[in-house]
Amino acid sequence: MRSKVLILIVIFIAIISSYLIFAQKPKIEVSFYHWENSFKEENVKEKLYIKVLDISYSGKLEFEKTNFIKKPSKNFIPTVYITNEAMKNIDSKKISKLILEQTKTYDFSELQIDCDWSLLSKANYFDLLKELKTKSNKKLSATIRLHQIKYYAKTGVPPVDYGVLMYYNMSNITDINTKNSILDNSIAKKYHYNFDEYPLKLKLALPLYNQAIRFRKNKPLDIFEGVKEEDFKKSFVKLNKNLYRVEESMYFQKKYIYKGDIFRFEQSLEEDLAIAINDFFSITKTPFNEIIFYRYSYKNRYNLNNLIKENL
């Protein structure tokens, strides 16, 4: 009798333990960046962060507004991209005024700013964020790079409601010896510092795209977006895992390429995304339960719900 009671107790504890482990698994919301210069998507059910404005500097303040051919859903989050050069050369109040004027027609409750600021632009950029927060009276978020967490004592912490960690573009795209400038988890691990101290709550942004960089005499020439590995099966010789040499001069993706040019093909592999997801949620103490994928046009190439379900 006693042994039966013990067995029942063990079974009961096992059931309760399994339930608690299952119940603690976070439910992750999947959303996407839309990063085109025109918006013409229909029947969108997903949450979108839509780039609505590009702000740059070339001797003067320049900007380009996204053309909305189709009306987006009401819950989209306008995102503004600002170059570091613009933040170094243009007063924050002028940029703030431009952003508020160009976004006033949108119906939104949150605004996101994407800028890879530097030490030279930090003060002006942080002033911009404070100004936007005060004058817009909206929730404000900002993108964060890995190095800006590792060295946050120097780079500073942006005055926003939360940050989005851009977990990609972390290695040198111009170096022909780079393995994969989109996502390299071995490089990312070198920046896994100070997450336990970083004061901003974080969302995670991961890449969903392919590209190829063309080199000539080890110097980068241009980027070809949206290419696939099978595009290199004809008129190319594979040199190693991701390098291909052009065997005959020809047109490729509407550009003329020359014999001897070297292409480095890069892609976001599901196994690399799985490692990144696990790493982020293991080192981040207070993450949001949301992953933003860059970008929307690639979403059907991946089974994202299974990817997240199997790796958390």
Side-chain angles (χ1 to χ4, degrees):
M1 181 68 180
R2 186 179 177 184
S3 61
K4 289 183 178 179
V5 171
L6 287 173
I7 292 171
L8 288 173
I9 291 173
V10 169
I11 294 172
F12 177 76
I13 292 173
I15 292 172
I16 294 297
S17 299
S18 299
Y19 172 78
L20 290 174
I21 291 171
F22 178 79
Q24 288 172 0
K25 290 188 77 172
K27 184 178 180 181
I28 302 298
E29 180 182 8
V30 172
S31 53
F32 297 90
Y33 280 111
H34 184 282
W35 215 255
E36 313 294 333
N37 291 328
S38 61
F39 184 88
K40 50 189 176 183
E41 312 295 339
E42 295 183 291
N43 302 316
V44 177
K45 297 179 181 179
E46 300 86 356
K47 178 181 178 181
L48 294 184
Y49 294 75
I50 302 175
K51 184 201 68 169
V52 297
L53 193 63
D54 277 291
I55 299 177
S56 58
Y57 177 83
S58 182
K60 62 178 181 178
L61 178 65
E62 298 178 340
F63 70 93
E64 182 177 3
K65 194 173 182 180
T66 298
N67 178 27
F68 281 89
I69 298 171
K70 298 291 183 179
K71 189 176 180 180
S73 58
K74 289 185 177 181
N75 66 341
F76 89 96
I77 297 175
T79 303
V80 177
Y81 173 72
I82 311 174
T83 66
N84 188 44
E85 282 301 305
M87 289 312 315
K88 286 196 294 186
N89 289 280
I90 305 296
D91 183 73
S92 61
K93 290 185 178 179
K94 187 172 183 179
I95 298 178
S96 173
K97 183 180 179 181
L98 172 66
I99 293 173
L100 293 171
E101 285 180 350
Q102 296 299 322
T103 59
K104 64 184 179 182
T105 57
Y106 304 131
D107 181 14
F108 64 96
S109 59
E110 177 185 334
L111 179 67
Q112 186 170 117
I113 307 298
D114 178 21
C115 177
D116 188 6
W117 77 91
S118 64
L119 295 179
L120 292 177
S121 63
K122 178 176 73 171
N124 195 41
Y125 177 55
F126 285 11
D127 284 344
L128 168 68
L129 295 174
K130 292 173 186 174
E131 181 105 352
L132 287 172
K133 179 65 178 174
T134 300
K135 292 194 173 180
S136 70
N137 197 29
K138 309 283 188 183
K139 181 184 287 187
L140 188 65
S141 57
T143 57
I144 313 289
R145 275 67 182 177
L146 277 165
H147 72 91
Q148 291 164 344
I149 295 181
K150 182 176 181 179
Y151 303 110
Y152 81 92
K154 284 186 177 180
T155 61
V157 178
V160 292
D161 295 295
Y162 71 89
V164 178
L165 180 60
M166 314 301 280
Y167 210 90
Y168 52 96
N169 292 344
M170 57 190 66
S171 49
N172 189 357
I173 192 173
T174 64
D175 185 350
I176 195 170
N177 295 312
T178 293
K179 293 180 180 178
N180 187 343
S181 69
I182 297 175
L183 178 59
D184 187 335
N185 285 296
S186 62
I187 297 294
K189 282 179 169 60
K190 296 179 180 179
Y191 293 91
H192 289 179
Y193 294 88
N194 296 326
F195 278 82
D196 56 337
E197 301 174 4
Y198 197 69
L200 274 184
K201 200 171 182 181
L202 296 170
K203 294 183 181 181
L204 175 65
L206 287 173
L208 296 183
Y209 62 95
N210 302 342
Q211 65 186 17
I213 298 87
R214 177 166 57 142
F215 293 87
R216 186 176 300 152
K217 295 181 180 179
N218 290 345
K219 293 183 178 180
L221 298 179
D222 43 18
I223 299 175
F224 293 73
E225 295 185 358
V227 294
K228 299 178 181 178
E229 196 165 13
E230 50 262 38
D231 294 333
F232 299 98
K233 288 185 176 179
K234 292 183 180 179
S235 302
F236 289 87
V237 169
K238 190 170 186 176
L239 302 179
N240 60 29
K241 184 178 180 181
N242 63 344
L243 288 181
Y244 298 83
R245 185 180 65 233
V246 181
E247 287 298 284
E248 58 178 298
S249 300
M250 60 177 180
Y251 279 98
F252 179 76
Q253 301 278 316
K254 299 182 180 180
K255 288 184 180 180
Y256 198 74
I257 61 176
Y258 291 86
K259 180 179 180 180
D261 286 351
I262 304 294
F263 279 70
R264 184 179 70 231
F265 173 66
E266 303 179 338
Q267 59 184 324
S268 306
L269 296 173
E270 287 198 15
E271 53 262 40
D272 291 329
L273 293 171
I275 292 170
I277 291 170
N278 272 299
D279 285 351
F280 174 77
F281 281 95
S282 65
I283 62 176
T284 308
K285 302 303 180 184
T286 55
F288 277 89
N289 292 334
E290 180 179 352
I291 298 177
I292 312 171
F293 288 98
Y294 179 92
R295 55 193 179 172
Y296 181 74
S297 57
Y298 284 81
K299 70 183 181 72
N300 292 326
R301 296 189 183 183
Y302 302 79
N303 190 332
L304 297 176
N305 288 322
N306 277 355
L307 175 67
I308 292 170
K309 184 180 178 181
E310 292 174 2
N311 291 282
L312 280 178

